[in-house]
Amino acid sequence: MVSIRGATGPLIGLLLLCVFLSIATDSFLSFRNFLNILDQITVLGIMAVGMTFVILIGGIDLSVGSVLALSMMVLGYLNVEAGMPMAIAISGALLASAVAGAVSGLLITAFRIPAFIATLAMMSIARGVANMITNGSQIIGFPAWFNMGAIIRYGGFLTMTVAVMLIVFTVATLYLRYREGGRSLYAIGGNPEVARLAGINVQRTTVLVYVASAVLSGLAGVLLAARLDAVQPSSGVAYELDAIAAVVIGGTSLSGGTGGVVGTIVGVLIIGVLRNGLNLIGVSPFLQAVIIGSVIVLAVAVETIKRRS
């Protein structure tokens, strides 16, 4: 169920991590570094919200990184190559993402293909289409205001990208807590057959969840394009692993039915703070991968122990 208590363990872990990094390096505990962390977790945070929905119904989505790349390439092609207004380019990018999510959802519901296989196939398809758009080349030349929106801190605090992430967090949290559709995700994750007998359209909801996950990945791609002021089809490689890790670290069960966005936010912050702190300490990227992987294993192990007890 939706519960802040479910995020208590990860939150304590986040606080302990912050205390350790504050002692380990003088540059960690500063307002400027906090803003940098928020900027760094924007893409992961938005993708992780969509992944939370998917895992809540007992599914998995391995295609989110490739869908992000597809969204970026569609955005770049429509705006820079085709000369269309940014509003149309963004709409086209999100539409392409939605189509990818709908295909994954239909493969899972209509053709009974396991979510792991269906989204693995979509991961390859979306990445291939992203490369086909420009034959593997990057696209540059976005309007100056588009890039500045990811740089300028309005009120000395919020960039456009961080503001979008916070809006996504708020809407998703309220949806799961107060809307019937949000509560139905927990029912499906708990027992799909019981949910069906209770009057929930499990197939339609499943498709919509995968569409939502893909659209949020596409939105993350748009924001990443704004930050980089460029798009390339190789973007988003292994992002799906970070998204899944953030959700699991935040306390959402891989078997579905328990967890929520509040825990995911904490999980995203743990990954963001950990990466930021390890960079400040001077830990090599290779050792960082080992440490973050160990944290993921620990989080899954704790979840397994809780489920068995």
Side-chain angles (χ1 to χ4, degrees):
M1 296 298 292
V2 184
S3 175
I4 296 178
R5 288 180 299 175
T8 301
L11 183 59
I12 292 175
L14 174 62
L15 293 175
L16 292 175
L17 178 61
C18 290
V19 170
F20 168 76
L21 292 174
S22 299
I23 297 172
T25 172
D26 295 335
S27 54
F28 175 78
L29 195 62
S30 67
F31 184 66
R32 180 178 180 181
N33 190 53
F34 172 71
L35 295 181
N36 287 335
I37 292 173
L38 286 181
D39 287 334
Q40 292 164 3
I41 67 172
T42 299
V43 172
L44 173 60
I46 293 175
M47 293 177 67
V49 170
M51 190 65 74
T52 302
F53 292 162
V54 171
I55 293 179
L56 277 177
I57 65 171
I60 198 74
D61 191 349
L62 301 179
S63 68
V64 292
S66 295
V67 171
L68 174 143
L70 174 63
S71 170
M72 293 176 71
M73 298 312 295
V74 171
L75 175 78
Y77 179 81
L78 292 179
N79 180 248
V80 179
E81 302 292 333
M84 294 184 180
M86 184 58 74
I88 295 178
I90 293 175
S91 299
L94 297 181
L95 178 60
S97 303
V99 170
V103 171
S104 294
L106 289 173
L107 288 174
I108 294 166
T109 57
F111 295 93
R112 306 294 182 184
I113 298 176
F116 182 91
I117 301 300
T119 58
L120 184 63
M122 181 52 64
M123 178 175 69
S124 179
I125 293 170
R127 182 72 63 183
V129 174
N131 278 280
M132 288 170 60
I133 292 175
T134 59
N135 198 28
S137 301
Q138 71 171 352
I139 299 175
I140 59 175
F142 289 107
W145 65 264
F146 184 61
N147 175 244
M148 294 305 294
I151 297 176
I152 298 175
R153 297 190 187 279
Y154 299 95
F157 176 67
L158 285 181
T159 60
M160 175 193 70
T161 53
V162 172
V164 171
M165 178 186 69
L166 295 178
I167 291 172
V168 170
F169 281 165
T170 301
V171 171
T173 301
L174 294 176
Y175 177 76
L176 287 179
R177 185 176 294 272
Y178 297 111
R179 300 296 296 175
E180 181 180 348
R183 292 191 293 270
S184 68
L185 303 188
Y186 291 93
I188 294 172
N191 191 313
E193 182 60 21
V194 172
R196 185 186 67 82
L197 294 175
I200 297 173
N201 191 326
V202 175
Q203 290 195 351
R204 183 182 66 185
T205 302
T206 299
V207 173
L208 291 176
V209 164
Y210 280 91
V211 170
S213 176
V215 169
L216 287 173
S217 298
L219 177 60
V222 171
L223 299 184
L224 182 59
R227 285 185 58 191
L228 300 178
D229 198 25
V231 296
Q232 55 187 13
S234 60
S235 298
V237 174
Y239 278 27
E240 59 277 354
L241 302 180
D242 282 352
I244 294 170
V247 175
V248 173
I249 290 172
T252 297
S253 173
L254 284 171
S255 59
T258 59
V261 174
V262 173
T264 295
I265 295 171
V266 177
V268 169
L269 285 170
I270 288 175
I271 292 180
V273 166
L274 186 58
R275 282 207 171 119
N276 175 268
L278 292 175
N279 283 329
L280 293 176
I281 294 173
V283 176
S284 72
F286 307 109
L287 182 55
Q288 286 186 35
V290 174
I291 294 173
I292 292 174
S294 301
V295 171
I296 295 171
V297 171
L298 179 62
V300 174
V302 171
E303 179 206 336
T304 302
I305 293 173
K306 285 182 178 179
R307 195 163 60 241
R308 289 178 178 177
S309 61

